[in-house]
Amino acid sequence: QVQLVESGGGLVQPGGSLRLSCAASGSIFSPYYMGWYRQAPGKDREGSQLVARISSLGETNYGDFVKGRFSISGDNAKNTVDLQMYSLEPEDTAVYYCHYSPILRRGYAQWGQGTQVTVSS
C-alpha cells in the first residue's frame, strides 16, 4: 500500500501564492500519476475536480480553471510532487487532496488526507 504525506496549504489573501507538497512511500508502482484534486465546500470527494497531475514519465495535466496560474513538478527519485499556486482567488478555496494512481495497475490508487486551502481577505 502507498502512503501519502501532504504539506502546505493554509490561509492566503486573494492574489497570493501557496505551495502544496506530497510525498509517497510504500509499494509504488511505476509508471504512475501523482497530483492534486480539490473538493469544494459542500461537495463530496467523489465530485473532486482535477487541479493538476504529473506522471512519472513527465506528462502534465491541468484543470481548465487553472488558466496558467499553477505549476506542478515531480521528483521521481523521491516520489514527491509539488504544486505551486499563484494568483489565488476565493473560488480556489477547497480541501486539496494528493492522489497517486499507477498507470498500468488498477485498484491501487490512493488518496492523501487532504489539506485546507482558504483564500480570503
Side-chain angles (χ1 to χ4, degrees):
Q1 192 171 1
V2 171
Q3 293 78 42
L4 301 174
V5 178
E6 302 158 333
S7 60
L11 174 64
V12 64
Q13 292 186 341
S17 302
L18 276 177
R19 187 179 187 89
L20 304 181
S21 297
C22 181
S25 62
S27 302
I28 297 170
F29 299 113
S30 293
Y32 59 79
Y33 276 108
M34 277 186 69
W36 294 89
Y37 289 75
R38 70 184 190 183
Q39 176 185 357
K43 295 189 177 181
D44 59 32
R45 199 172 68 184
E46 275 57 41
S48 297
Q49 60 181 162
L50 172 69
V51 178
R53 67 177 186 175
I54 184 168
S55 77
S56 55
L57 305 174
E59 177 186 356
T60 58
N61 302 104
Y62 291 91
D64 290 341
F65 64 89
V66 171
K67 299 179 181 178
R69 299 181 297 133
F70 301 171
S71 178
I72 192 166
S73 59
D75 185 330
N76 289 346
K78 297 179 180 179
N79 296 316
T80 58
V81 62
D82 292 327
L83 178 68
Q84 181 66 54
M85 302 186 290
Y86 301 98
S87 302
L88 285 163
E89 304 166 350
E91 294 73 23
D92 295 315
T93 295
V95 179
Y96 285 67
Y97 291 94
C98 182
H99 186 256
Y100 156 86
S101 177
I103 294 174
L104 300 178
R105 292 176 182 254
R106 293 184 180 274
Y108 289 89
Q110 197 66 238
W111 291 95
Q113 291 188 328
T115 185
Q116 177 70 45
V117 171
T118 302
V119 185
S120 175
S121 56

